[in-house]
Amino acid sequence: MARFVGALKRIAPWAVQNADVAIALLLAVVVGVLGIMPDEIFGDNGATVQTQLVSAATLVILALVATALLRDRARQAPMEAITSDVLGRLPTRLDRLEQIESLVDRTRKALDALQLVRVLGSSQEIAQAHAEAREDTTRWSFKGGTGTYLRAVTLPACVAAARRDKRHLTVRIEVIDPADVEVCETYAHYRRSLSDLPDGTGERWTTDRVRKESYATILAAFWHRQRYGLLDIGVGLSSTMTTFRWDLSSSRLIMTVEDPNRAMTALAGTFYYENCDTELRLSFEQARRVPLDKYRSVQLGDEPTIEEVQDLFERIGVPLPKTYNGRDVVDIARKALRAVDPYGEPLRETAVP
């Protein structure tokens, strides 16, 4: 009995919701039972009575079935209308979705542009930024002290990549004028005031070192120019020092300071990048220009000799101090072509083409 009641409770909600179908089903069962019952049960005219009952019940069942079909169609009609309306508006909504995606993309680019400068907080980040800046660049502008990192890493790597791809490379370098003893002393004093210990190259900063580093940058520019015909390189000598170092490529600007774990970078196309580009151009134009067009006047060997180095500096109007002996000249050549990365990377030797 309990099972019957439980089954009835489960069936009752469905029967209420589908009353016409439930009645039709019940009548179908009754007609089926009447059809198989003996005629004698219905009296003398049992066959006639049985036939009439079955016919009447059948008509009722058909009516209920028809009612159910009409009800289902009435329910489907609004759904079909809704579906048709939704499908009709689908292309418009897809167009709006594409517009939203485009708006989001433009907004992201605008936010990237508004982020003028990003601070780099480790030597690894700075090294990575330099590597990304060198990648496929066709130009490089540098302004700083003496260009030690430029000689050790940037210039050899950029020239090697340009030679590999057989493409043009424009380089502009601005360093301290080695003939201006006063600015060299100022720069050496500034570097010693930050730390009197040897830097990543293993040397302490002195006035003599500042001069030799700048001479080495000039020599390196001539040496690379003689060996790669598609290199357009210029060197400017400044009578003022700066506490910043600017490195600007086709893709980004990197501004470093004496702290090896702090730097700033800005992508090409941003307000800060464009203004720094203008600043470096104007500063280079005001610097004393080294006549690099005379690079053919003295042919430098793969390992420049003392005579070649001395002759080069005489011909370009930047003579070495008379106090310099052969050892000083060799030191300048070593700094030019075998510069040590001041940020701790292994010693780099310039590959002979």
Side-chain angles (χ1 to χ4, degrees):
M1 186 64 180
R3 290 183 180 180
F4 176 75
V5 173
L8 188 60
K9 288 182 178 180
R10 289 193 298 270
I11 295 173
W14 176 86
V16 171
Q17 187 176 0
N18 303 275
D20 48 1
V21 177
I23 294 171
L25 180 61
L26 180 60
L27 287 175
V29 174
V30 171
V31 169
V33 173
L34 291 175
I36 63 174
M37 292 180 66
D39 297 342
E40 293 79 8
I41 296 177
F42 300 97
D44 296 335
N45 297 322
T48 303
V49 174
Q50 184 181 26
T51 301
Q52 291 176 350
L53 289 174
V54 171
S55 298
T58 301
L59 290 174
V60 174
I61 292 172
L62 291 174
L64 291 172
V65 170
T67 303
L69 290 174
L70 290 174
R71 184 193 62 185
D72 289 342
R73 288 183 179 180
R75 290 177 178 176
Q76 290 176 2
M79 292 300 297
E80 290 177 355
I82 293 172
T83 303
S84 177
D85 182 59
V86 170
L87 292 176
R89 289 185 293 176
L90 185 59
T92 303
R93 293 188 175 183
L94 290 176
D95 290 340
R96 290 180 180 176
L97 182 60
E98 291 179 358
Q99 294 175 3
I100 292 173
E101 290 178 350
S102 177
L103 178 62
V104 171
D105 185 59
R106 292 198 302 270
T107 303
R108 179 182 58 79
K109 291 181 179 179
L111 291 174
D112 289 341
L114 288 174
Q115 188 179 0
L116 298 181
V117 178
R118 184 166 65 91
V119 176
L120 305 177
S122 69
S123 59
Q124 291 80 10
E125 280 189 296
I126 297 172
Q128 179 63 29
H130 274 278
E132 292 174 356
R134 292 193 298 266
E135 186 175 355
D136 298 328
T137 189
T138 58
R139 58 178 294 221
W140 196 280
S141 296
F142 171 82
K143 178 181 178 180
T146 60
T148 307
Y149 184 81
L150 178 81
R151 281 179 279 111
V153 180
T154 303
L155 187 56
C158 288
V159 171
R163 179 182 285 112
R164 182 186 63 244
D165 298 336
K166 297 179 176 59
R167 55 178 164 78
H168 183 267
L169 176 65
T170 300
V171 178
R172 294 292 178 263
I173 303 170
E174 184 179 343
V175 293
I176 290 174
D177 189 344
D180 191 330
V181 179
E182 183 177 351
V183 70
C184 291
E185 288 178 348
T186 301
Y187 186 74
H189 176 73
Y190 168 71
R191 295 297 297 266
R192 286 197 307 271
S193 68
L194 299 178
S195 175
D196 198 31
L197 299 175
D199 62 8
T201 66
E203 298 182 62
R204 289 183 173 87
W205 282 99
T206 64
T207 302
D208 183 60
R209 181 189 171 186
V210 174
R211 301 186 73 184
K212 287 181 178 179
E213 296 283 355
S214 288
Y215 281 124
T217 299
I218 299 172
L219 178 59
F222 275 95
W223 191 90
H224 284 287
R225 178 64 184 88
Q226 288 184 3
R227 279 154 179 77
Y228 187 51
L230 297 180
L231 174 62
D232 175 14
I233 189 168
V235 178
L237 305 178
S238 177
S239 59
T240 59
M241 62 154 284
T242 174
T243 60
F244 292 104
R245 287 186 294 272
W246 286 270
D247 286 278
L248 186 142
S249 73
S250 303
S251 62
R252 68 175 60 213
L253 163 76
I254 304 169
M255 183 183 295
T256 54
V257 292
E258 298 310 323
D259 186 345
N261 295 307
R262 301 290 287 179
M264 295 179 290
T265 183
L267 298 178
T270 60
F271 175 81
Y272 193 74
Y273 174 95
E274 297 299 334
N275 280 272
C276 285
D277 188 15
T278 302
E279 170 68 20
L280 293 179
R281 289 175 184 270
L282 292 176
S283 180
F284 183 79
E285 289 178 1
Q286 297 175 67
R288 180 164 76 101
R289 200 71 58 83
V290 175
L292 271 154
D293 55 322
K294 296 184 178 181
Y295 67 91
R296 294 189 183 92
S297 61
V298 178
Q299 287 298 316
L300 300 170
D302 294 335
E303 298 289 341
T305 64
I306 294 175
E307 292 74 17
E308 289 173 347
V309 174
Q310 290 175 328
D311 191 17
L312 172 67
F313 282 107
E314 287 290 339
R315 287 176 180 267
I316 65 176
V318 189
L320 296 175
K322 295 181 179 180
T323 56
Y324 277 14
N325 55 30
R327 181 177 297 177
D328 295 314
V329 177
V330 170
D331 194 23
I332 291 173
R334 176 185 60 80
K335 290 177 179 294
L337 305 181
R338 291 185 173 82
V340 178
D341 180 4
Y343 299 110
E345 293 184 11
L347 183 70
R348 294 172 179 261
E349 295 191 8
T350 304
V352 177

